[in-house]
Amino acid sequence: LIPELKGVVPLTENSIPEPSSNVRPLKLLAADAVAAAQCAQDEHRLVFVVGKTGAGKSKTASYLAGKFGGTLINAAPAWEKSYLHALTSIGSGLGLAASWYSAGAAERDILQSLQAAPRLIIIDEANHFNRATINFLKTVLNLTRCGLVLLTLPHHMARMSSDSREEFPQLLRRSIAIIHIPSITGEEVAANGNSFHGNSAHAGISR
């Protein structure tokens, strides 16, 4: 289980709040959190968006990328087996065309690029992290001015916490908000034309 930390709450699937008519639409909550993260003067520039399949995570990622000029990267299962593959995918998403033969060279070039031109980095399917990737994301938050948004499933987030008992809580301490997306019912999808505009989804935010 994720320990109680300042600014966040322990994450379990039961911790996802029920939608409420007086909470802001999901994309606006997410935008508020990202705006706060980008204003942070320390390493607390991480936002988690957690929700079940079909809840609207990918649409939220696309919205944030467009609103903030962020870089959207989709993680892949190969990241779990190869740290260099993860770094190469991140570098490619950031527009770096280098072919690296070592993780150290990739880390150096990516960090230098992000230090020179900070930006919002959004990683969808953020459950394909191994310990080295988690540590690298911590380094990005520590050494650059980039904001970071990670989108994942509730049980995958809990699994990362279990598999990386030291690294993941350290990353989580750098979060400014965890946004829990409630599941959307079939009636809600039909009522909203399967769109993501207006008040089609709501979320609870933990700070």
Side-chain angles (χ1 to χ4, degrees):
L1 294 177
I2 297 172
E4 289 195 58
L5 302 169
K6 183 177 180 181
V8 300
V9 296
L11 178 70
T12 66
E13 295 203 38
N14 293 328
S15 69
I16 301 175
E18 293 297 324
S20 169
S21 60
N22 62 357
V23 296
R24 304 194 71 195
L26 163 63
K27 64 181 182 180
L28 298 183
L29 279 174
D32 287 348
V34 170
Q38 293 191 317
C39 292
Q41 299 300 310
D42 55 18
E43 72 277 13
H44 295 94
R45 295 186 307 280
L46 168 63
V47 176
F48 273 102
V49 178
V50 185
K52 294 183 179 181
T53 301
K57 295 187 300 299
S58 294
K59 290 182 179 180
T60 302
S62 297
Y63 170 78
L64 294 174
K67 181 176 179 61
F68 293 96
T71 296
L72 177 56
I73 300 169
N74 289 297
W79 288 30
E80 299 180 54
K81 297 181 179 179
S82 171
Y83 176 45
L84 182 58
H85 185 90
L87 290 173
T88 300
S89 297
I90 293 171
S92 177
L94 295 172
L96 301 179
S99 296
W100 296 292
Y101 296 99
S102 72
E107 289 174 344
R108 182 191 63 242
D109 289 353
I110 293 171
L111 289 171
Q112 287 178 349
S113 174
L114 294 177
Q115 288 168 338
R119 69 204 78 175
L120 177 66
I121 303 170
I122 304 163
I123 303 180
D124 199 3
E125 304 294 338
N127 43 281
H128 300 300
F129 294 164
N130 57 26
R131 293 179 179 180
T133 304
I134 291 173
N135 277 328
F136 179 68
L137 296 177
K138 284 163 39 186
T139 302
V140 169
L141 292 169
N142 289 344
L143 298 184
T144 78
R145 299 297 305 162
C146 294
L148 180 63
V149 179
L150 302 179
L151 302 98
T152 190
L153 298 166
H155 65 280
H156 282 156
M157 192 172 181
R159 179 179 60 81
M160 281 193 291
S161 175
S162 176
D163 291 347
S164 303
R165 293 181 181 274
E166 294 183 8
E167 296 83 1
F168 188 73
Q170 292 172 12
L171 177 65
L172 195 62
R173 289 190 184 98
R174 288 158 173 78
S175 65
I176 194 169
I178 300 175
I179 299 174
H180 307 277
I181 311 175
S183 298
I184 301 174
T185 66
E187 290 79 6
E188 288 173 317
V189 171
N192 287 282
N194 203 22
S195 72
F196 193 66
H197 300 289
N199 293 324
S200 60
H202 293 85
I205 185 168
S206 304
R207 283 199 176 100

